[in-house]
């Protein structure tokens, strides 16, 4: 079952988040695609997510999660203590998403913006959808 993380390819915070996940995902559970890529757009369309979304999306087989739910479901699959963060799923989604939205709304101001998507290393490249 495919586990794909869709992220904003020009967001520095999103880029760092992807690098954080890759560094800890020793079993290569996740694949990645930017929201701006053709693969990203196809997955958004397949799951009925508006193409202009700028939210972090986690596609797990036929299901998808957005915003805080996406982040928590990713933590669930990371090794070690990171799994414990999934416990925050018990908080009501509107409360979790309020914190998520605060960061998302300010991510360019706080972390900056890139002119283009990151260039993965050859090993990382295998994990990115075209």
């Amino acid at each position: 079952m495919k586990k794909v993380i869709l992220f904003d390819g020009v967001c520095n915070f999103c880029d760092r988040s992807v690098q954080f996940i890759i560094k800890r995902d020793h079993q290569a559970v996740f694949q990645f695609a930017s929201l701006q890529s053709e693969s990203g757009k196809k997955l958004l369309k397949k799951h009925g997510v508006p193409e202009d979304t700028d939210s972090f999306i986690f596609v797990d087989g036929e299901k998808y999660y957005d915003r805080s739910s996406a982040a928590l479901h990713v933590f669930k699959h990371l090794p070690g203590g990171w799994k414990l963060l999934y416990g925050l799923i018990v908080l009501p989604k509107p409360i979790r998403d309020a914190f998520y939205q605060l960061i998302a709304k300010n991510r360019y101001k706080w972390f900056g913006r890139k002119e283009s998507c990151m260039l993965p290393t050859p090993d990382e490249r295998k994990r990115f959808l075209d």
Side-chain angles (χ1 to χ4, degrees):
M1 197 181 275
K2 266 190 187 179
K3 296 180 186 332
V4 181
I5 294 171
L6 300 174
F7 63 98
D8 181 348
V10 297
C11 165
N12 283 332
F13 178 73
C14 304
D15 176 60
R16 289 184 202 139
S17 297
V18 167
Q19 293 304 316
F20 173 89
I21 294 164
I22 288 172
K23 185 176 179 181
R24 287 154 183 81
D25 182 21
H26 306 292
Q27 302 299 316
V29 170
F30 300 108
Q31 291 183 297
F32 304 89
S34 74
L35 292 166
Q36 297 87 351
S37 71
E38 286 305 312
S39 295
K41 290 176 183 177
K42 285 179 187 174
L43 281 168
L44 292 175
K45 184 175 181 175
K46 176 182 176 184
H47 292 283
V49 181
E51 193 172 306
D52 65 346
T53 191
D54 66 351
S55 174
F56 182 78
I57 303 287
F58 175 48
V59 178
D60 189 0
E62 294 303 314
K63 296 180 185 176
Y64 84 90
Y65 304 93
D66 64 358
R67 299 181 184 89
S68 65
S69 295
L72 293 175
H73 279 273
V74 167
F75 280 126
K76 180 170 89 170
H77 296 285
L78 291 178
W82 296 108
K83 291 178 185 299
L84 297 174
L85 289 174
Y86 180 71
L88 295 172
I89 202 83
V90 300
L91 295 173
K93 186 168 172 49
I95 293 172
R96 289 187 280 119
D97 282 351
F99 286 105
Y100 176 92
Q101 285 303 117
L102 176 67
I103 295 169
K105 180 179 171 185
N106 293 292
R107 70 184 185 265
Y108 296 137
K109 181 169 59 172
W110 294 344
F111 303 101
R113 186 180 176 120
K114 302 166 97 168
E115 291 300 316
S116 61
C117 296
M118 67 177 233
L119 293 175
T121 66
D123 278 346
E124 292 171 349
R125 181 72 193 123
K126 298 174 204 165
R127 299 182 60 191
F128 283 77
L129 304 176
D130 292 327

